[in-house]
Amino acid sequence: AQSVTQPDIHITVSEGASLELRCNYSYGATPYLFWYVQSPGQGLQLLLKYFSGDTLVQGIKGFEAEFKRSQSSFNLRKPSVHWSDAAEYFCAVAARDSNYQLIWGAGTKLIIKP
Amino acid sequence: DSGVTQTPKHLITATGQRVTLRCSPRSGDLSVYWYQQSLDQGLQFLIQYYNGEERAKGNILERFSAQQFPDLHSELNLSSLELGDSALYFCASSGSGSDEQFFGPGTRLTVL
């Protein structure tokens, strides 16, 4: 069965510092991979997605993620975080043969220190 | 703004009651997905409809049901509500053959 693991429940980073949020997935074939962000009291916004091609994917708000098949990982990165990046980040996996229903990680809450 | 609308924004009800959550997808999107976000279970896929027909089922309880109408809006019906059903319920929509889902703002259900 497909599953997604986000090992860090929360991460604290100083404003201006770099960020990496970890995501590992379990799936038999190459899945579609997504990162979503949820700001407090808000819905889910897609940051970026990967399904084929270049393994380094650029997203909105200066985020990028790298797909590493050998490690079954899809980690999210940002070179310099801003206070407005404080939110909860969710990694998700989907498969075409399951009608793209999303299987979610537990989320990582990002806290920004001033 | 994703173009997906959900009503109501908040709903407070009592155990044993029944509620209906409504979702209007983005213009032209045929697929509607429902997800539940709770403190205990995190985000879970409930059910998907495509052009009026049920396409996939996830961890949806038998007390819950959904439908998609000819105008493509969808309703999620929750009955015999329990305290544990308190959660944020999201609807998402996508176009035909698309891998990207666009999420509504959610309906926060509180069962007292």
Side-chain angles (χ1 to χ4, degrees), chain B residues 6 22-23 27 34 40 47 54-55 57 70 98 107-108:
Chain B
Q6 289 186 248
R22 182 187 169 106
C23 168
S27 178
W34 285 98
D40 292 344
I47 196 163
E54 183 185 301
R55 181 63 72 90
K57 252 184 176 176
S98 170
T107 293
R108 182 167 294 283

Side-chain angles (χ1 to χ4, degrees), chain B:
Chain B
D1 185 356
S2 67
V4 179
T5 59
Q6 289 186 248
T7 56
K9 196 168 184 177
H10 300 278
L11 200 47
I12 301 174
T13 188
T15 54
Q17 295 298 304
R18 172 189 170 95
V19 297
T20 297
L21 312 183
R22 182 187 169 106
C23 168
S24 293
R26 291 187 323 155
S27 178
D29 282 357
L30 300 179
S31 273
V32 169
Y33 302 77
W34 285 98
Y35 295 89
Q36 179 195 59
Q37 184 179 32
S38 66
L39 289 175
D40 292 344
Q41 304 287 332
L43 271 160
Q44 291 193 101
F45 166 71
L46 295 179
I47 196 163
Q48 180 207 358
Y49 277 81
Y50 179 84
N51 202 21
E53 293 190 3
E54 183 185 301
R55 181 63 72 90
K57 252 184 176 176
N59 297 323
I60 188 166
L61 299 172
E62 284 192 14
R63 300 183 284 108
F64 296 1
S65 64
Q67 55 185 327
Q68 187 179 27
F69 294 86
D71 66 352
L72 301 177
H73 90 272
S74 177
E75 292 181 357
L76 179 67
N77 301 295
L78 315 176
S79 62
S80 303
L81 285 167
E82 302 175 0
L83 295 178
D85 298 327
S86 296
L88 194 51
Y89 291 85
F90 286 109
C91 163
S93 75
S94 69
S96 176
S98 170
D99 53 73
E100 182 171 348
Q101 296 175 30
F102 295 84
F103 282 78
T107 293
R108 182 167 294 283
L109 173 66
T110 303
V111 182
L112 300 175

